[in-house]
Amino acid sequence: MGENPAKNHYAQLNQGEENEMEIFGYKTQSCRRALCIAGSILSCGALLLLFYWKPEWDVWANCIRCSLEEADIVLLRTTDEFRIYSRKTVTWISVSALIKSRSDYPAAAEEDSIFSKAIVKPSLQVKSIQVQKIRYVWNIYAKQFQKVGALEDHHACSAIHAKFGSGLTCYEQNVRRVICGPNTIDVPVIPIWKLLIKEVLNPFYVFQLFSVCLWFAEDYMEYATAIIIMSLLSIFLTVYDLRQQSVKLHRLVESHNNIMVTVCRNKEGFQELESHHLVPGDMLVLKDSKTLLPCDAILISGQCIVNESMLTGESIPVTKTHLPQADNFKPWRMHCAEDYKKHVLFCGTEVIQTKADDRGFVKAVVLRTGFNTAKGDLVRSILYPKPMNFKLYRDALWFLMCLIAFAAIGMIYAVCVFALNGEEAGEVVKKALDVITIAVPPALPAALTTGIIYTQRRLKKKGIFCISPQRINMCGQLNLICFDKTGTLTEDGLDLWGLLPSERNCFQDIHSFPADHSLPWGPVFRAMAVCHSLIVWEGKIQGDPLDVKMFEATNWVIDDSSGHQIEGQGSTHATVVRPGPKASSAPVEGVTILHQFPFSSALQRMSVIAQEIGGEQQVFTKGAPEMVAMLCRAETVPSNFESKLLLYTAQGFRVIGLACKSLQAGKQSTDLTREEVESDLTFLGLLIMENRLKRETKPVLEELSAARIRSVMVTGDNIQTAVTVAKNAGMISPTNRVILVEANKIPGSFSASITWKPLEENKPEGYGSLEDDSQTERRIRLTLGSGQYHFAMSGQSYQIVAQHFRHLLPKKSSLVEEFQKLNYIVGMCGDGANDCGALKVAHAGISLSEQEASVASPFTSRTPSIACVPELIREGRAALVTSFCMFKYMALYSTIQYLGVLLLYWQLNSFGNYQFLFQDLAITTVIGVTMSFTGAYPKLVPYRPPSQLISPPLLLSVVLNILFSLSMQIFGFVVVQEQPWYSKTDIHSACLSVNNHMENSSSVSSLELHGMRDGALGLMDNGYKSYENTTVWLLSTINCLIVALVFSKGKPFRQPIYTNYVFIVVLIGQLGICLFLVFADIDDLYSKMDLVCTPTTWRISMVIMLAVTLAVSFLVEEAVIENRPLWLLLKKTFRYHSKSHYKTLQQVLEQDSAWPPLNETFFSDSVAISIQGNMGGHSNPTFDSNEDTL
């Protein structure tokens, strides 16, 4: 085979897509398999557990590399930074039962499809794998795995009509069904036992099991039982939560899995069948009744009105038109460009109304089935969320590794000490293993999650729901928030403000709304009455809010009768609008809307062909004013059009252009193309809509700005309107300048240009002379020099930049990803309407909609207001700081106990069971649960908490406190031996009440310590009692309380510690008990706790030692660790620079006197590289240059 296996061993799956993976081929080898089975048996299943945690090791151990063609096992690896491996078994699907009887295979529709290219002859089998619910089959000719369950993209528009227009034959459908699998989005409810096993096999719980077994072996029953109860509680809570999510998801999708549909069979006519039998290429016939779509489909005849709220979050009916029968060879999606969605009906959406054309039926070709559909994709994004790359979690692993290394040193020390003193081997092993459970606290993960759980609960009370709790800590690091404009920063609906009619190329007087007198009858009135895509649904007028407001202003009504006779066109389903009861008198009975060209975001307009009842046919167009003006005859457009438009957009109004023209009689509206209809129009005027800011928008943006968190607005609106809204909202301060970045394609060439010009305040008269005004330019330069500038860019420019200056995609989600590439921690806040992708991609996506579409968003706010953003950041910062406090505390608690035990090991002694129990349960567990109760500080400070555990202040804090504890314990251990009353042999020499004790205790020789924890007999001296033990244990126990107090920091990210009443009460209570144990001299209690009586002077000495430790520890924490100016000075001294890409760019650009370029144009072919270097600074790069994160 030579190099062949290695050559074809690797390929890429879903290249260029979000879920791109690398795939490697492997073949199972019997002898390796046998060795692995033997290893699993000999290791009592430990090897199997390792393989479960590391699937790649399983494959490498059991299999040998081979080409993908020969593989029976494939190993998949994600191409992101996580490189997560998964193992899949190759399965064979047999189609022999369907094909053997057929000589004419492949059929016409199958010739160039994956279905014929995947069947292996002569066995008539198909090789497949299933990855994240999607099935891939092996293409024999292309030698690669290809996705099935979707129509191939290479079909041209005409090919879709020709090949699939009359439906698949029954036989073709059967073959496709076997290869693609059923058309269901099946999310089974995961059985509880499966969830339990998965949870229990978590490495953390496996370590706990090891610890518990060891403790039982040492009769340390109480704590072992407590840990078992806590772990079981934790497991059951997690399993319950997962089960609830599983049930919720199952209910979300089950309704679409079995719907009765009508399909058209080639040569067999119409047939009713269950939707799970549908395959790509099937011909669906849509009835007039309401139907849920069970798949994605391309409309090929007729027209539909669909409710897409499941996908977009907006309950606005959307009009879908059929796919044109274009004769070119371009793939259909490229031919339709951005508007391809206008012809696609998406799975899970509801068809409200169908309008057949002259061919009689509304037909659609099944495009995608099952998990390949839009809804399937949404469900998969919930089932397989993008892993979080958060430094805290990576550092936590390093932290645990350090503790394990620490424990290893202690183990070696324990083995040496006990072995040299002739202890039994079993006892030595127990003592050595004990060190691991002391140094690595088994309660650490549980303690860390409590903080997140409490934060989640606090957020829930504030109406913010979270489906991805690990992202809460991420919110504490956010330093850039992208906001959608409409519905997020501004109110959802628009209010009609005014109408500026135009006659004989002059603007007339403005007509304000609400007006005393109604609009006069005329072309403008007709345009407002008919140029929309509104429908009557459930007794209400439904559609785009802008259309609704415009139509309501006319006081006309929509007549919802089903069919109307139109001259020369037979009966068809057309919308008729008539004057309502409140309408002013009109010379017509009504107007019929014959044909619609729906709004297209690429064309920025919509048109209708309408006919007055008994009158002539007319075209009405509305859209972006600049676009509408371009389609109008020049003589009908007022000369002051641009200045008037600027006047209103600069005030933040949404402006719509209106135009019309008459059609020649005798032409059928359905025969006209959009290009013919939308040409030589007459300009009618401007419709001015007001989009008010939400009340809370300005204060929230000001709060974020004060906290040095960047705000970016992402909107589909006019640039001038967007800039004005940004200024009104306080996103751009009055002293800041806005630079407009315009990119244009150069006609007749493949290159593009990019121009930078200042966007001046609206002064219509002087607008044209801006560039010549050197004073203005100098003023702008001064402002820019101080870094106070913002960039504004239109979507079209962004797209050209994407093609010619950067390889991006012009979507909100790609903008978010660009910011992430610059090392920003990005939040995205939107209403879930058209930003689902961005909400998923962002580090923290916050949806202001409770629609089904926003399910994929990690956070959902019940109140549709951006006030939830600072709230989430505050809670995130508090949760992050709490996590650090818990880490530090857990590290210190385990180290204090570890140091105490190692000191006592020197004398072959240790802590007693009740001593361990008191420290582990009464002190640490209670502190772990209550420490996280501290709430978030109400003010957002202009810097973020540290994002990593391994940062100098944090490490210094831990190291110094370890040294203080070590010093105090060694000091106590050594000094107690120097006391005049100290005796190594007589543990009662220090107290007068010796006689009371002598009866109950065995002789001092029991300090020989054989079977230290084994034969503990009631109140008998079990060998732990000694002056060193009492001293070290009391010091270390109260030291744990000191550390808890010192590490529980409040401001600036959390409320002061005294506001956490429960924690304060707990600390005081614990301190009271500890001091009682220090000063009390109750024989039974001391005997139970393995303590011995010491003189009062020594007890006071211990309290003084602890007071000194508290003072030093507190002083160091406040004066050094929490001293922000000191760390900033150190950073400056050592010339530390942030590694964040955006910070590096800021520093480069600040030193570049030519940045930002003004009134300059670059070309993609000449300066592609330098532009690419600079493009990173596109959105206000110096905004947060003063922020320093420790």
Side-chain angles (χ1 to χ4, degrees):
M1 284 190 342
E3 287 178 13
N4 200 29
K7 199 170 114 190
N8 303 321
H9 163 68
Y10 155 84
Q12 277 198 321
L13 213 56
N14 308 324
Q15 203 163 358
E17 291 179 38
E18 197 183 334
N19 56 342
E20 184 181 84
M21 288 182 175
E22 294 170 315
I23 179 168
F24 305 90
Y26 285 91
K27 207 193 295 187
T28 313
Q29 205 177 33
S30 310
C31 57
R32 283 178 173 235
R33 186 102 191 87
L35 281 170
C36 287
I37 291 168
S40 302
I41 294 165
L42 291 171
S43 65
C44 302
L47 191 63
L48 280 177
L49 192 63
L50 194 64
F51 286 163
Y52 170 76
W53 290 336
K54 290 277 187 186
E56 64 272 31
W57 292 5
D58 181 10
V59 174
W60 295 335
N62 284 288
C63 311
I64 53 165
R65 280 172 60 164
C66 69
S67 66
L68 283 165
E69 199 167 2
E70 299 169 314
D72 59 2
I73 299 283
V74 293
L75 189 61
L76 296 152
R77 183 173 69 189
T78 58
T79 52
D80 55 19
E81 62 211 280
F82 302 99
R83 303 291 226 215
I84 298 165
Y85 282 95
S86 53
R87 171 191 186 278
K88 298 285 168 193
T89 306
V90 174
T91 53
W92 289 90
I93 304 164
S94 173
V95 287
S96 56
L98 299 168
I99 295 177
K100 276 205 174 134
S101 58
R102 308 281 307 191
S103 53
D104 58 346
Y105 188 82
E110 304 292 334
E111 277 166 16
D112 63 342
S113 77
I114 179 67
F115 301 102
S116 60
K117 292 174 182 172
I119 297 169
V120 179
K121 315 275 188 336
S123 63
L124 299 178
Q125 285 184 314
V126 176
K127 182 179 182 176
S128 76
I129 54 169
Q130 188 148 328
V131 183
Q132 292 187 349
K133 304 277 184 187
I134 300 274
R135 188 178 283 185
Y136 298 82
V137 298
W138 180 256
N139 184 330
I140 306 159
Y141 303 99
K143 299 259 185 274
Q144 64 181 30
F145 279 104
Q146 265 177 272
K147 202 183 279 186
V148 285
L151 213 58
E152 286 98 329
D153 285 336
H154 61 73
H155 294 296
C157 295
S158 52
I160 288 176
H161 281 276
K163 275 187 182 174
F164 306 108
S166 51
L168 299 172
T169 62
C170 203
Y171 156 68
E172 286 167 347
Q173 210 249 9
N174 287 338
V175 172
R176 287 181 177 227
R177 192 187 304 159
V178 171
I179 294 174
C180 292
N183 169 39
T184 54
I185 300 172
D186 193 22
V187 183
V189 176
I190 306 164
I192 288 174
W193 64 267
K194 263 193 185 175
L195 289 169
L196 261 174
I197 289 172
K198 197 175 176 186
E199 194 61 24
V200 168
L201 292 180
N202 183 316
F204 156 63
Y205 288 119
V206 172
F207 174 65
Q208 276 205 338
L209 184 69
F210 158 76
S211 303
V212 165
C213 291
L214 183 69
W215 294 331
F216 274 122
E218 298 183 335
D219 284 340
Y220 187 27
M221 302 287 188
E222 296 86 347
Y223 188 57
T225 311
I227 282 286
I228 288 173
I229 292 165
M230 280 164 63
S231 298
L232 286 176
L233 199 67
S234 169
I235 288 169
F236 284 127
L237 279 172
T238 312
V239 166
Y240 173 76
D241 201 31
L242 290 169
R243 172 81 175 184
Q244 291 295 93
Q245 281 183 23
S246 182
V247 170
K248 195 176 169 187
L249 202 54
H250 176 74
R251 284 187 188 145
L252 184 78
V253 297
E254 69 179 338
S255 57
H256 303 148
N257 284 341
N258 234 344
I259 301 163
M260 292 306 291
V261 290
T262 307
V263 292
C264 179
R265 284 269 167 273
N266 199 341
K267 301 173 189 158
E268 293 174 36
F270 298 126
Q271 192 180 330
E272 285 247 331
L273 54 92
E274 290 178 338
S275 61
H276 64 86
H277 292 310
L278 288 175
V279 295
D282 258 334
M283 165 67 64
L284 272 179
V285 178
L286 299 168
K287 300 284 171 60
D288 201 18
S289 58
K290 275 197 209 171
T291 36
L292 272 177
L293 278 161
C295 59
D296 288 359
I298 312 170
L299 197 62
I300 62 163
S301 76
Q303 192 175 320
C304 285
I305 293 172
V306 183
N307 174 15
E308 289 191 342
S309 63
M310 185 288 295
L311 277 183
T312 63
E314 289 182 287
S315 303
I316 294 171
V318 180
T319 304
K320 301 284 184 178
T321 55
H322 64 78
L323 187 75
Q325 281 198 333
D327 285 333
N328 58 22
F329 295 104
K330 265 190 187 174
W332 70 276
R333 205 171 285 194
M334 276 173 69
H335 172 78
C336 302
E338 282 177 33
D339 282 332
Y340 79 90
K341 287 183 180 176
K342 291 279 170 217
H343 314 303
V344 178
L345 305 168
F346 293 104
C347 175
T349 59
E350 187 180 25
V351 177
I352 303 165
Q353 205 179 78
T354 56
K355 292 183 184 179
D357 53 19
D358 46 10
R359 282 169 283 182
F361 288 106
V362 178
K363 294 178 181 175
V365 173
V366 175
L367 174 65
R368 291 180 286 254
T369 58
F371 279 96
N372 293 286
T373 60
K375 174 141 188 162
D377 206 35
L378 185 71
V379 174
R380 284 192 322 117
S381 70
I382 301 165
L383 287 172
Y384 308 101
K386 204 174 167 187
M388 287 302 303
N389 179 20
F390 195 35
K391 290 174 188 161
L392 178 68
Y393 302 120
R394 280 180 301 170
D395 290 352
L397 285 173
W398 281 108
F399 174 76
L400 281 172
M401 292 300 160
C402 292
L403 286 180
I404 289 165
F406 209 39
I409 297 164
M411 279 174 77
I412 296 163
Y413 165 81
V415 169
C416 295
V417 168
F418 284 100
L420 290 172
N421 281 279
E423 280 288 334
E424 287 174 24
E427 225 27 67
V428 173
V429 170
K430 270 192 208 170
K431 289 286 158 249
L433 292 175
D434 230 4
V435 174
I436 292 186
T437 64
I438 292 168
V440 183
L444 177 66
L448 283 177
T449 50
T450 52
I452 299 284
I453 290 166
Y454 295 146
T455 307
Q456 207 174 345
R457 202 177 292 161
R458 283 199 295 269
L459 286 172
K460 199 172 180 179
K461 279 182 188 166
K462 289 168 184 170
I464 302 166
F465 299 93
C466 170
I467 60 161
S468 178
Q470 70 270 30
R471 292 204 189 219
I472 292 175
N473 276 338
M474 206 74 178
C475 295
Q477 282 295 305
L478 293 177
N479 56 359
L480 184 145
I481 312 281
C482 293
F483 290 101
D484 184 25
K485 182 179 81 72
T486 312
T488 303
L489 297 176
T490 58
E491 295 290 353
D492 233 340
L494 293 152
D495 289 323
L496 205 55
W497 185 84
L499 173 69
L500 193 64
S502 166
E503 275 178 43
R504 294 181 299 280
N505 83 350
C506 285
F507 281 118
Q508 308 300 302
D509 292 338
I510 191 156
H511 180 98
S512 298
F513 295 95
D516 303 329
H517 61 284
S518 52
L519 271 172
W521 172 257
V524 177
F525 188 99
R526 286 199 292 277
M528 288 173 67
V530 298
C531 196
H532 53 72
S533 52
L534 300 174
I535 62 159
V536 174
W537 181 35
E538 294 176 350
K540 254 176 87 184
I541 291 177
Q542 302 269 10
D544 188 298
L546 184 150
D547 286 357
V548 173
K549 287 281 181 192
M550 178 184 78
F551 183 69
E552 281 175 352
T554 63
N555 289 321
W556 278 39
V557 292
I558 295 174
D559 181 359
D560 193 32
S561 39
S562 55
H564 297 278
Q565 290 293 328
I566 290 139
E567 260 180 77
Q569 290 200 15
S571 177
T572 178
H573 193 133
T575 305
V576 175
V577 291
R578 302 180 190 277
K582 295 181 186 171
S584 55
S585 60
V588 292
E589 186 193 328
V591 183
T592 307
I593 300 167
L594 303 177
H595 191 71
Q596 261 187 45
F597 294 100
F599 177 77
S600 153
S601 53
L603 301 173
Q604 294 180 299
R605 61 183 181 270
M606 75 159 291
S607 297
V608 295
I609 298 173
Q611 183 178 21
E612 288 176 17
I613 294 174
E616 61 168 1
Q617 291 187 13
Q618 278 186 306
V619 173
F620 293 97
T621 299
K622 80 168 194 300
E626 305 93 334
M627 192 55 75
V628 171
M630 278 165 61
L631 301 170
C632 292
R633 300 197 311 279
E635 64 270 19
T636 66
V637 180
S639 54
N640 60 342
F641 169 80
E642 282 189 13
S643 60
K644 279 285 185 194
L645 175 61
L646 191 70
L647 178 74
Y648 292 109
T649 54
Q651 292 173 60
F653 289 116
R654 176 100 177 259
V655 184
I656 305 292
L658 300 170
C660 76
K661 78 168 179 184
S662 296
L663 280 181
Q664 299 164 351
K667 263 209 167 187
Q668 280 215 351
S669 59
T670 47
D671 297 339
L672 294 166
T673 64
R674 190 162 189 160
E675 287 73 25
E676 287 176 289
V677 169
E678 295 174 339
S679 60
D680 297 329
L681 301 169
T682 301
F683 186 74
L684 293 177
L686 299 172
L687 196 64
I688 300 153
M689 321 280 285
E690 190 175 21
N691 195 192
R692 293 195 184 99
L693 273 182
K694 285 186 180 174
R695 199 175 64 251
E696 60 282 345
T697 296
K698 195 169 183 182
V700 165
L701 292 176
E702 282 170 354
E703 185 179 6
L704 293 177
S705 175
R708 297 209 171 277
I709 295 167
R710 272 189 61 186
S711 303
V712 173
M713 187 199 290
V714 189
T715 177
D717 222 329
N718 171 294
I719 269 206
Q720 188 70 59
T721 307
V723 168
T724 308
V725 169
K727 284 182 174 173
N728 293 345
M731 203 179 261
I732 301 172
S733 76
T735 55
N736 288 6
R737 290 278 150 203
V738 179
I739 297 166
L740 179 66
V741 182
E742 276 187 341
N744 295 298
K745 282 186 179 172
I746 296 165
S749 81
F750 291 109
S751 65
S753 66
I754 187 165
T755 308
W756 320 72
K757 47 188 178 189
L759 197 69
E760 256 298 83
E761 293 301 310
N762 178 38
K763 300 186 186 77
E765 295 75 53
Y767 189 69
S769 63
L770 252 180
E771 294 186 12
D772 312 322
D773 191 340
S774 57
Q775 278 187 314
T776 310
E777 178 136 348
R778 203 171 302 126
R779 194 179 75 247
I780 293 171
R781 276 265 162 244
L782 283 170
T783 324
L784 298 178
S786 59
Q788 299 167 320
Y789 59 91
H790 296 252
F791 288 120
M793 185 195 271
S794 71
Q796 195 180 358
S797 293
Y798 184 69
Q799 190 171 5
I800 294 164
V801 168
Q803 289 169 352
H804 295 273
F805 298 94
R806 293 287 291 285
H807 300 292
L808 324 168
L809 288 168
K811 294 178 188 165
K812 286 183 188 177
S813 57
S814 88
L815 181 73
V816 168
E817 285 170 318
E818 284 311 304
F819 283 129
Q820 287 173 333
K821 282 178 196 166
L822 292 172
N823 303 122
Y824 277 109
I825 307 290
V826 185
M828 171 78 202
C829 181
D831 55 4
N834 50 2
D835 35 34
C836 286
L839 291 172
K840 276 192 290 183
V841 169
H843 292 109
I846 309 147
S847 168
L848 303 184
S849 153
E850 290 192 67
Q851 289 280 2
E852 202 176 298
S854 61
V855 175
S857 170
F859 299 95
T860 307
S861 171
R862 185 176 276 165
T863 47
S865 134
I866 63 164
C868 63
V869 175
E871 200 55 68
L872 195 58
I873 295 171
R874 274 193 285 273
E875 289 292 355
R877 287 179 171 187
L880 189 56
V881 171
T882 302
S883 293
F884 286 136
C885 292
M886 283 310 307
F887 256 114
K888 284 164 72 174
Y889 174 70
M890 283 302 197
L892 258 293
Y893 139 72
S894 57
T895 311
I896 289 167
Q897 201 178 65
Y898 169 84
L899 293 172
V901 168
L902 291 192
L903 270 175
L904 294 175
Y905 272 5
W906 188 252
Q907 292 195 327
L908 303 188
N909 198 344
S910 182
F911 289 155
N913 278 2
Y914 282 108
Q915 290 178 329
F916 273 120
L917 189 66
F918 186 80
Q919 279 189 355
D920 292 341
L921 208 58
I923 302 283
T924 305
T925 308
V926 180
I927 284 176
V929 170
T930 56
M931 197 189 225
S932 311
F933 280 153
T934 314
Y937 194 63
K939 187 179 182 297
L940 280 178
V941 290
Y943 52 91
R944 299 173 294 160
S947 62
Q948 49 196 48
L949 269 175
I950 303 166
S951 64
L954 217 132
L955 284 177
L956 187 67
S957 171
V958 170
V959 170
L960 287 176
N961 276 286
I962 286 174
L963 289 175
F964 299 152
S965 301
L966 182 64
S967 310
M968 181 177 65
Q969 288 191 28
I970 291 175
F971 184 74
F973 184 80
V974 172
V975 173
V976 75
Q977 294 175 2
E978 304 300 318
Q979 298 306 307
W981 42 263
Y982 172 80
S983 164
K984 199 169 185 177
T985 52
D986 180 7
I987 54 169
H988 309 299
S989 59
C991 288
L992 299 172
S993 56
V994 171
N995 301 331
N996 300 348
H997 282 280
M998 286 307 277
E999 299 161 23
N1000 280 345
S1001 65
S1002 56
S1003 67
V1004 178
S1005 62
S1006 68
L1007 264 177
E1008 297 280 276
L1009 265 193
H1010 286 290
M1012 225 193 279
R1013 282 192 192 174
D1014 289 354
L1017 299 168
L1019 295 178
M1020 296 295 287
D1021 177 8
N1022 54 16
Y1024 296 124
K1025 294 191 181 99
S1026 73
Y1027 292 119
E1028 290 89 346
N1029 171 297
T1030 302
T1031 304
V1032 169
W1033 185 78
L1034 287 169
L1035 288 175
S1036 62
T1037 305
I1038 299 175
N1039 197 0
C1040 287
L1041 300 181
I1042 289 172
V1043 165
L1045 181 68
V1046 169
F1047 285 167
S1048 294
K1049 62 177 175 190
K1051 291 202 292 187
F1053 304 112
R1054 300 202 306 168
Q1055 287 185 345
I1057 191 65
Y1058 54 77
T1059 60
N1060 185 349
Y1061 309 119
V1062 182
F1063 181 59
I1064 293 296
V1065 168
V1066 161
L1067 270 186
I1068 292 169
Q1070 288 174 334
L1071 184 64
I1073 294 167
C1074 290
L1075 290 175
F1076 176 73
L1077 285 172
V1078 172
F1079 290 105
D1081 194 9
I1082 302 164
D1083 296 345
D1084 289 351
L1085 179 67
Y1086 266 37
S1087 191
K1088 192 83 174 163
M1089 292 301 296
D1090 294 313
L1091 297 173
V1092 294
C1093 177
T1094 54
T1096 310
T1097 50
W1098 179 244
R1099 300 177 198 205
I1100 292 166
S1101 307
M1102 284 197 285
V1103 172
I1104 291 165
M1105 281 186 240
L1106 288 161
V1108 169
T1109 308
L1110 171 64
V1112 172
S1113 186
F1114 199 79
L1115 198 69
V1116 167
E1117 196 73 18
E1118 287 303 309
V1120 179
I1121 310 300
E1122 295 298 314
N1123 187 341
R1124 187 174 153 76
L1126 173 70
W1127 289 101
L1128 290 177
L1129 185 71
L1130 286 170
K1131 273 175 144 184
K1132 219 171 183 178
T1133 312
F1134 292 105
R1135 297 195 177 171
Y1136 170 81
H1137 293 299
S1138 169
K1139 293 185 183 72
S1140 295
H1141 191 37
Y1142 73 92
K1143 286 274 182 76
T1144 317
L1145 271 169
Q1146 280 169 9
Q1147 283 150 8
V1148 171
L1149 298 176
E1150 276 167 22
Q1151 289 155 15
D1152 185 354
S1153 56
W1155 181 266
L1158 271 185
N1159 302 318
E1160 288 182 44
T1161 302
F1162 298 122
F1163 297 92
S1164 59
D1165 45 4
S1166 59
V1167 288
I1169 294 147
S1170 66
I1171 289 292
Q1172 194 159 345
N1174 287 344
M1175 288 306 275
H1178 253 256
S1179 294
N1180 186 16
T1182 51
F1183 181 80
D1184 57 349
S1185 55
N1186 304 334
E1187 184 206 279
D1188 283 287
T1189 306
L1190 291 181

